[in-house]
Amino acid sequence: DAGVTQSPTHLIKTRGQHVTLRCSPISGHKSVSWYQQVLGQGPQFIFQYYEKEERGRGNFPDRFSARQFPNYSSELNVNALLLGDSALYLCASSFIAGGGQPQHFGDGTRLSIL
Amino acid sequence: TQLLEQSPQFLSIQEGENLTVYCNSSSVFSSLQWYRQEPGEGPVLLVTVVTGGEVKKLKRLTFQFGDARKDSSLHITAAQPGDTGLYLCAGAGTASKLTFGTGTRLQVTL
């Protein structure tokens, strides 16, 4: 079975631009979470979605938004990119929502801001 | 704000040595997960511990959840080069949030 897939794998943007990252969960998983991982640190929680509804939000500015589609795939949008947004963005899926659920991660999108 | 501190940050050992990684917090977690992440890949779940005092073994890896559910440890016996990677603990607290630790980078050399 296919794991969590994310696209693109790498992306280079300049300050002020907008970016959309995509995630397809494992088949049968209805919850998707997004994390930001800065080099040398652990992932930080951004959003969790379940059945197309936002179930949790981390401490990130309103420039970050996300949505989940009827097929349970998800998009993460970041507006007005800053140099500090450079990071690995990870998507994780789980069968149901909840922080205690085992998270299955994709290999991430490496975003570089110039 | 729930924080998880891991120690040590970096660990370089030789094959066959034993090691312990610690994950500490002042907050109580309903459960705690351990992940391993290799370069260019996402974290992979190793184990989930739920009950205070719980001990789980996965081959040469032993995981323990503290009695008060605020801390955890990972012990590796006879480390092998294949154990190299970034070890992350992650605590489940309020609602849907999973809080990750600061990470321990382990390198095992021949």
Side-chain angles (χ1 to χ4, degrees):
Chain A
D1 285 343
V4 176
T5 57
Q6 292 187 244
S7 63
T9 54
H10 294 85
L11 202 51
I12 300 174
K13 292 284 188 178
T14 57
R15 283 177 296 174
Q17 284 189 312
H18 160 271
V19 67
T20 298
L21 310 181
R22 296 177 174 83
C23 172
S24 293
I26 289 173
S27 177
H29 284 191
K30 299 180 180 181
S31 180
V32 168
S33 298
W34 287 95
Y35 295 83
Q36 180 195 65
Q37 186 175 25
V38 175
L39 197 62
Q41 298 181 16
Q44 284 199 43
F45 174 78
I46 310 176
F47 289 110
Q48 183 176 84
Y49 276 77
Y50 177 68
E51 294 281 14
K52 297 178 291 181
E53 291 190 3
E54 182 183 302
R55 288 298 188 95
R57 171 186 282 257
N59 189 24
F60 280 81
D62 291 343
R63 299 185 295 109
F64 288 76
S65 64
R67 55 179 175 167
Q68 187 177 33
F69 299 100
N71 67 353
Y72 304 111
S73 67
S74 177
E75 283 182 355
L76 175 70
N77 295 283
V78 186
N79 293 323
L81 287 166
L82 303 174
L83 292 177
D85 295 331
S86 294
L88 180 67
Y89 287 85
L90 294 163
C91 172
S93 75
S94 56
F95 184 64
I96 58 175
Q101 293 298 311
Q103 301 291 303
H104 299 263
F105 283 87
D107 289 337
T109 294
R110 172 74 61 190
L111 176 63
S112 298
I113 311 301
L114 302 180
Chain B
T1 304
Q2 296 176 310
L3 295 173
L4 277 168
E5 294 286 337
Q6 287 185 236
S7 61
Q9 269 190 295
F10 302 97
L11 198 52
S12 182
I13 61 172
Q14 290 190 320
E15 184 180 17
E17 292 185 29
N18 301 331
L19 67 117
T20 301
V21 176
Y22 299 94
C23 173
N24 295 295
S25 176
S26 58
S27 303
V28 176
F29 292 97
S30 57
S31 65
L32 197 132
Q33 302 170 7
W34 283 92
Y35 291 82
R36 181 170 69 212
Q37 183 177 22
E38 300 189 30
E41 299 180 8
V44 175
L45 180 66
L46 297 173
V47 77
T48 300
V49 285
V50 179
T51 306
E54 182 177 3
V55 177
K56 279 192 174 179
K57 292 192 175 184
L58 185 67
K59 298 183 181 178
R60 295 176 293 100
L61 278 60
T62 302
F63 304 85
Q64 184 164 8
F65 201 11
D67 291 340
R69 291 184 288 129
K70 292 182 179 181
D71 55 87
S72 181
S73 64
L74 157 61
H75 183 78
I76 301 179
T77 304
Q80 298 178 358
D83 295 327
T84 293
L86 177 68
Y87 288 81
L88 296 159
C89 62
T94 56
S96 301
K97 186 175 180 178
L98 191 64
T99 301
F100 276 85
T102 48
T104 294
R105 190 163 298 280
L106 170 66
Q107 180 159 6
V108 183
T109 56
L110 293 170

